Amino acid sequence: MTADEDERPTDEDGRPADDPQPDADSSTASADGRHPVVRAAALSVRLLWFAARVAVAGGVVAAKLATDPARRARLRRWLLLSGDRWRIAALMVGTVGLGTFLLSLVDAVGVAEGSFVATVFGAVISGLFSFVPIVVAVNQLTVARLFGSPEQVREQVDDVATFRREFERDHPEVSVSPTEPAPFLGVAVEVVAGQADALAAAADSLEGRPRAAVDAYVGVVRAQVADVRTHLDGSHQRLIEILPPMMGDSYSRNVNDARRIRERFSEELPGAARDQLAELEESFVALDVLRQYFKALYLTQELSYLSRFIGYTGVGAFLVATLVIMAFANGQPMGGHPVLLDGLLSLAFAAVFVPFAVLLSFLLRVATIAKRTAAPGTFTPHRETPDYATHRDGDGRITED
């Protein structure tokens, strides 16, 4: 070693200070053998492959739904009526978030311009402010039914009590009817089932067309009762758990079919069969009234829940949108990590979509229940009975001819 080499300054590691330092990218690449750009490209390829598999699976499901009417009916019933509203909202939010992220990977949407992102989320905030009158209007619909003078409240209580007394009077086997909706419905359908069995026994001696008409009617009634029974478990269930089986059948048509059988075969029917048909008419009128009352109670509860949930999710979405705008106030953050930035923005966009998804998912069911059986009594508007109500023939009547 020469004297000059001894006099050369050294760094903390003992290397000469003027020796070239190792490149940072080279050290990063040597850690796992791949450059960060290569890793990002590999991640993008895997995500695109996953998106392609999801698209293929969605295409298969869509093809099955297009070729199977029963599947379409079940899907429509789940979406509009029986499905859990939070699951449907989560499905919509997840679809929006995943779709936004996949589109950003292929540069269909991007965040290259921070001002554009700020403008988009600013528009979202403006849209969220429109939820304020929606919440106020929903609360007005809910609270309107609660206001009234003492006389009006007393009339409502007396009307419900009168309905219960008339039901107990018309059905002596029910001494005191339950006050909970689900047990009361269970008692009502059991009464109807007993009357259908009594009608079948009274018409046992009939033959030909009268017997076929009575058997068809009894079959419809038993199918309706069985459908309701599958949704009852004997506990204090929520209204939405007992309303769907009542939404699929037109009790006014049951009343009309009973009248038609009594009039058309008045000479052939024995007296006991005619009496049972008359009792079934009264029972189905009571079920129609009960369904409308349950529907009014459910709509009141659901609208109050909806206004509260919109308030919760709307505040959260407002905060997320505000944070995104603040993050892009000085330009594009995390410029060296585009994939991570796309993912975070996709999550933010999904978060601000939550209140819209909640509103849509709940309104679908509210509007469906409001539309179904909108006209209680002896008149049934066209297409009020849904396609999945398969207890009857295509025209909705008992075939006798």
Side-chain angles (χ1 to χ4, degrees), residues 26-350:
S26 300
S27 61
T28 304
S30 62
D32 60 355
R34 294 187 300 174
H35 194 274
V37 176
V38 177
R39 291 201 305 270
L43 177 61
S44 300
V45 170
R46 286 197 296 268
L47 290 174
L48 289 175
W49 171 248
F50 173 75
R53 294 179 60 182
V54 171
V56 171
V60 173
V61 173
K64 290 182 179 181
L65 291 176
T67 56
D68 191 348
R71 289 177 182 267
R72 291 200 305 272
R74 286 195 298 269
L75 177 62
R76 185 181 179 189
R77 180 184 175 89
W78 177 82
L79 178 63
L80 298 180
L81 197 60
S82 61
D84 183 81
R85 298 299 97 183
W86 289 109
R87 291 184 180 180
I88 295 176
L91 180 62
M92 289 189 288
V93 171
T95 302
V96 169
L98 181 60
T100 303
F101 182 62
L102 294 176
L103 290 175
S104 65
L105 289 180
V106 297
D107 291 331
V109 296
V111 293
E113 293 292 336
S115 59
F116 173 75
V117 175
T119 302
V120 170
F121 280 87
V124 171
I125 291 178
S126 301
L128 288 173
F129 277 111
S130 65
F131 270 47
V132 174
I134 293 178
V135 174
V136 172
V138 169
N139 281 324
Q140 286 178 344
L141 290 175
T142 304
V143 176
R145 299 188 70 253
L146 304 179
F147 288 132
S149 63
E151 291 78 10
Q152 292 174 332
V153 176
R154 183 60 181 268
E155 289 179 1
Q156 294 178 0
V157 174
D158 290 342
D159 289 343
V160 176
T162 300
F163 173 78
R164 289 167 54 86
R165 286 194 296 267
E166 291 178 352
F167 181 82
E168 295 165 356
R169 182 195 62 198
D170 296 337
H171 307 93
E173 63 272 22
V174 181
S175 57
V176 179
S177 57
T179 57
E180 294 83 3
F184 189 94
L185 178 61
V187 170
V189 296
E190 292 303 324
V191 169
V192 172
Q195 292 172 344
D197 294 338
L199 174 60
D204 189 59
S205 60
L206 294 176
E207 297 180 353
R209 291 174 56 196
R211 177 64 180 271
V214 172
D215 288 345
Y217 185 74
V218 171
V220 168
V221 173
R222 286 173 174 171
Q224 294 172 345
V225 169
D227 191 20
V228 175
R229 281 173 174 169
T230 58
H231 291 78
L232 299 177
D233 57 11
S235 64
H236 183 63
Q237 297 171 265
R238 297 183 304 150
L239 286 173
I240 191 55
E241 297 178 15
I242 63 177
L243 268 177
M246 303 179 73
M247 291 289 104
D249 293 296
S250 176
Y251 297 138
S252 60
R253 287 181 177 175
N254 291 3
V255 174
N256 200 43
D257 288 337
R259 293 181 60 242
R260 183 182 293 109
I261 293 174
R262 281 198 303 152
E263 293 296 328
R264 184 166 298 183
F265 306 109
S266 58
E267 298 181 359
E268 294 87 344
L269 290 175
R274 289 196 297 271
D275 293 340
Q276 290 300 325
L277 285 170
E279 292 183 5
L280 280 170
E281 289 181 34
E282 294 297 329
S283 296
F284 281 118
V285 170
L287 281 176
D288 203 1
V289 173
L290 186 65
R291 176 173 56 187
Q292 294 299 121
Y293 184 67
F294 285 173
K295 186 171 72 171
L297 291 179
Y298 162 76
L299 291 177
T300 302
Q301 293 180 354
E302 194 81 336
L303 290 176
S304 63
Y305 292 152
L306 177 59
S307 63
R308 188 175 61 186
F309 296 148
I310 289 177
Y312 294 157
T313 57
V315 170
F318 174 78
L319 293 177
V320 171
T322 303
L323 289 175
V324 171
I325 294 175
M326 294 172 62
F328 278 84
N330 295 324
Q332 186 187 57
M334 294 183 296
H337 304 82
V339 176
L340 178 60
L341 182 59
D342 289 342
L344 292 177
L345 278 178
S346 299
L347 289 176
F349 192 72

